[in-house]
Amino acid sequence: QVQLVESGGGLVQTGGSLRLSCAPSGRTFGSMAWFRQAPGKEREFVAAIRWSDGNKVLANSVKGRFTISRDKAKNAVFLQMNSLNPEDTAIYSCAASAKSWIQSALSNYQNYDYWGQGTQVTVSS
């Protein structure tokens, strides 16, 4: 059974940094992504990466602050979050798809079949 094991969430002050990790068990995937959902808001795309060539997509709201990367040896995906602000407070979920999506499709949550349990990120002002 495929599991996406997430780690790295927590409480940080405005301007701080956190690094989220997602390690799928049992297999590798074609595309992996991070989505977030804040209380009372809809799920929002954050970042995605295509496993084969490392092609990346970032939401406009996090460009210049967040980066997504993968480590093939560890079979893991990372989300480095810098310059955090209270608007980044949300539950962050890792998602994976067996398909290597084209860039324009990487941000569509409907293209992901597997989801992690989510990790809370709280940014205090």
Side-chain angles (χ1 to χ4, degrees), residues 101-121:
W101 293 101
I102 59 174
Q103 190 168 26
S104 61
L106 284 170
S107 59
N108 187 344
Y109 77 93
Q110 293 179 316
N111 291 335
Y112 294 90
D113 307 304
Y114 302 94
W115 291 82
Q117 79 283 0
T119 185
Q120 177 70 47
V121 171

Side-chain angles (χ1 to χ4, degrees), residues 4-10 12 18-22 33-39 43-47 59 61-62 65-66 78-95 115-123:
L4 302 181
V5 181
E6 300 152 335
S7 61
V12 65
L18 285 172
R19 187 187 192 218
L20 305 183
S21 301
C22 177
W34 289 95
F35 291 80
R36 68 186 182 185
Q37 188 165 19
R43 177 168 38 197
E44 176 189 17
F45 168 75
V46 178
S61 59
V62 305
R65 302 187 299 122
F66 292 12
F78 305 97
L79 183 68
Q80 178 66 43
M81 305 185 294
N82 300 326
S83 301
L84 286 161
N85 59 63
E87 289 69 40
D88 296 314
T89 295
I91 295 175
Y92 286 70
S93 297
C94 176
W115 291 82
Q117 79 283 0
T119 185
Q120 177 70 47
V121 171
T122 302
V123 185

Side-chain angles (χ1 to χ4, degrees), residues 45-79:
F45 168 75
V46 178
I49 189 166
R50 193 162 57 208
W51 195 261
S52 59
D53 59 6
N55 193 301
K56 307 171 186 180
V57 177
L58 290 166
N60 288 334
S61 59
V62 305
K63 281 181 181 177
R65 302 187 299 122
F66 292 12
T67 57
I68 186 170
S69 61
R70 71 190 186 330
D71 186 324
K72 286 190 171 184
K74 296 181 180 179
N75 194 34
V77 171
F78 305 97
L79 183 68

